[in-house]
Amino acid sequence: MRKDNCLFSGLPIHPGHGKSYVPTLVQSTRPVLKFSSPKARELYLRKRNPRVIRWTVTYRRINKKMVTADMIRKRAKKVRKVQRPIVGADLESIRQKKAQKETIRIASREAALKELQERKAKRQEAAKKANQAKGGSAKGAAAPKIPNMPKGKMQGPKKGGR
């Protein structure tokens, strides 16, 4: 069996569904009008324009609400990951690091941290020696002591009226 389309909404009418309307007062080009629902029939009889009513197929087609084959194809495209060089590291070095085993990477990281700590310790020792050569103590000159403020009521802005 074949499906008919609703005259007003444009929706498909499956066999055994929908209602037929035969106009008796006016001679119509179509002897029998098919509607998918009583709502569609009433809107047609009230002479409403299906291009203005949002749920009709005509409205959806005009206002580009329908999903077309082009849209489906666009969704199907997948994003491809592309590796790009970063500032300070070219693509080859990045690929080599990725290819390395994790244990090697961890060992190289620890070696670099150790080297940094050694450099820092040397810098601190050099600073200490320079300080001692100037005649100051290892800690540096002591800051002058600030006398303790008396413990009592704090002087500040007064609350209240005049």
Side-chain angles (χ1 to χ4, degrees):
M1 307 257 323
R2 71 170 228 255
K3 288 189 265 181
D4 290 325
N5 282 339
C6 175
L7 182 73
F8 183 79
S9 67
L11 296 170
I13 303 170
H14 297 280
H17 293 272
K19 283 211 171 185
S20 300
Y21 172 73
V22 181
T24 53
L25 296 174
V26 183
Q27 181 121 17
S28 176
T29 53
R30 291 184 185 174
V32 179
L33 309 174
K34 298 253 183 181
F35 295 103
S36 61
S37 65
K39 176 181 175 181
R41 183 173 157 265
E42 281 302 313
L43 289 168
Y44 175 81
L45 292 174
R46 284 193 215 149
K47 298 185 178 179
R48 297 286 186 260
N49 191 346
R51 286 178 284 179
V52 179
I53 294 163
R54 291 183 156 211
W55 55 270
T56 61
V57 173
T58 319
Y59 173 89
R60 295 183 68 77
R61 202 172 284 140
I62 289 169
N63 293 293
K64 297 178 182 161
K65 304 287 182 188
M66 313 252 326
V67 178
T68 59
D70 299 334
M71 299 283 263
I72 293 166
R73 258 188 246 121
K74 279 182 187 176
R75 279 190 207 144
K77 286 181 183 176
K78 288 187 179 179
V79 178
R80 292 180 189 152
K81 275 194 174 182
V82 178
Q83 264 193 337
R84 291 190 181 137
I86 305 167
V87 176
D90 60 325
L91 200 58
E92 280 301 311
S93 64
I94 292 170
R95 283 187 180 145
Q96 284 174 355
K97 282 183 182 178
K98 266 194 171 181
Q100 280 181 346
K101 289 185 179 176
E102 189 138 346
T103 53
I104 297 169
R105 264 188 269 160
I106 292 169
S108 63
R109 190 182 301 135
E110 285 175 358
L113 285 172
K114 241 183 207 177
E115 187 187 338
L116 274 171
Q117 287 173 349
E118 287 172 7
R119 267 196 249 150
K120 198 174 184 182
K122 282 182 185 176
R123 221 180 282 138
Q124 284 177 348
E125 284 177 34
K128 274 185 186 179
K129 285 180 183 176
N131 225 1
Q132 286 176 354
K134 283 183 182 177
S137 65
K139 289 182 182 176
K145 267 196 167 182
I146 301 169
N148 291 338
M149 296 296 285
K151 291 183 181 178
K153 264 195 165 180
M154 295 281 290
Q155 293 287 330
K158 293 181 181 177
K159 294 179 183 175
R162 299 179 190 173

